[in-house]
Amino acid sequence: MDKFLIEGNGPLTGEVAASGAKNAALPILCASLLTDDELRLSNVPDLHDVVTTKKLLAQMGVAVASPGPGLFAATARGITTCVAPYELVKTMRASILVLGPLLAKRGHAEVSLPGGCAIGARPVDLHLMGLKAMGAEITLEDGFIKARATRLKGARIYFDTVTVTGTENLLMAAVLADGETVLENAAREPEIVDLANCLTAMGAKISGAGTGTIVVQGVRDLHGADHRVIPDRIEGGTFLVAAAITRGRVRLTKTDPNALDAVIVKLQQAGAKVATGADWIDVDMRHQRPHSVNLHTMAHPGFPTDMQAQFMALDCYADGVGTIRETIFENRFMHAQELLRLGADIRIEGNTAIVTGREKLKGAPVMATDLRASAALVLAAIAAEGTTKIDRVYHIDRGYEHIEEKLGALGARIARVKD
Ligand code: EPZ
């Protein structure tokens, strides 16, 4: 398994471009199942999870092509099976996103139950609740979700908990259903809006995406389309924190500042000077030690849980005490144990971490446990004194495109070593 060897160094400086958004690309790739025509995508990031999704579609018989960097074309006309096997689903929970489109287009789907993951149980009960409300017959057999529906019917669906992929699954189910579907307490993430925009380009009739209430008028068929995936706000936010934690100055380009409001506010509270333009964000820490920030994670437009670990790393170097409350997932502090190995001062009390900043941390061997925890360890290691070895970096490859090249171009000393 690959490792990262990171030498602590001074401030990062320069310019880095955001890649396409993983959490927009994954549902949009699955939307190719909703039409017999070709769906053509651009700005698709080169990530392990994207490769897994392409494999998942291809093993169903979807004709999948990558005609160039960031480009993806898929035609699902000739699919031969509606089964998502455990071997693929266990490596990527987002495979659940084939359930809604397969049911809507083919009337049948068998998707392996994803199982838990490092950050939590990650149930899919709300996905199934919504599909049942639309008339699907769903059974759980041999570790599989088995679903059938002659034609899904529009329904009013209320999500007890805001769920991103739950909203996406039901949105994709609704676009071909008979009648009107209303999704209440829907997720409002930018990735939902991007999926809705792609579906609209395919002929879907959707209003309210990005708000808590999404209304869909079902249509008989969707046609092919061309769609460019939005920038990845979490990858981008990670690079902004890299600037702050090393007291440097970085410009993030090819991004959407509006998708990073909560993160920008927190960086300003940490003492960074932040300037923004149409598609760029400039973070200047001016060689100053960051101030501690308090945050609690919430559904969008609140502070994103996917940026929690990165800000815990920042607080480890700050000039005070910061409290971080994780309200979305029940076990998303795994990075804390590893940060302690670098000399951080973190106390966990239930779903709250109390972080007392230190002027400097010291490099040490650590282990990545999940995608965003890995990113936090990379950030802490770049700002630490000495060498840090990070094991199991396959976690980071799931969600960050060529991270060592991008950080290296900003001045970080990071090398990937093979076992
Ligand atoms: C999406 O996961 C993202 N993944 C996650 O990003 C992100 O952390 C999460 O949304 C929250 O923003 C993708 O988009 C592929 P949820 P998802 O359903 O949809 C509970 C990353 O690092 N819940 O919004 O699986 C659930 O347990 C990944 O890129 C139910 O109870 O998350 C959690 O407490 C990690 N029943 C809360 O809702 C359900 O049926 C939010 O989960 C579904 C969810």
Side-chain angles (χ1 to χ4, degrees), residues 280-337:
W280 57 267
I281 301 170
D282 196 294
V283 168
D284 184 356
M285 205 59 195
R286 294 169 290 180
H287 300 278
Q288 289 164 9
R289 187 177 177 188
H291 306 311
S292 298
V293 293
N294 303 321
L295 58 91
H296 72 270
T297 62
M298 294 169 64
H300 194 78
F303 186 89
T305 175
D306 291 349
M307 285 299 302
Q308 177 257 106
Q310 298 90 317
F311 270 81
M312 186 183 289
L314 182 63
D315 265 355
C316 287
Y317 285 90
D319 62 1
V321 180
T323 56
I324 293 175
R325 196 148 60 87
E326 173 56 61
T327 72
I328 304 292
F329 292 113
E330 63 268 30
N331 187 35
R332 202 170 197 174
F333 282 153
M334 306 259 278
H335 39 285
Q337 294 312 316

Side-chain angles (χ1 to χ4, degrees), residues 191-207:
E191 292 76 29
I192 307 270
V193 176
D194 201 30
L195 172 62
N197 289 339
C198 179
L199 293 168
T200 302
M202 296 166 72
K205 299 200 179 326
I206 302 168
S207 61

Side-chain angles (χ1 to χ4, degrees), residues 22-23 26 94 119 122-127 161-165 189 305-306 328-329 332 371-372:
K22 167 177 87 78
N23 291 349
L26 300 185
I119 62 176
R122 312 289 295 275
V124 292
D125 57 306
L126 298 176
H127 299 236
T161 307
V162 174
T163 162
V164 172
T165 51
E189 272 69 4
T305 175
D306 291 349
I328 304 292
F329 292 113
R332 202 170 197 174
L371 170 52
R372 306 304 173 181

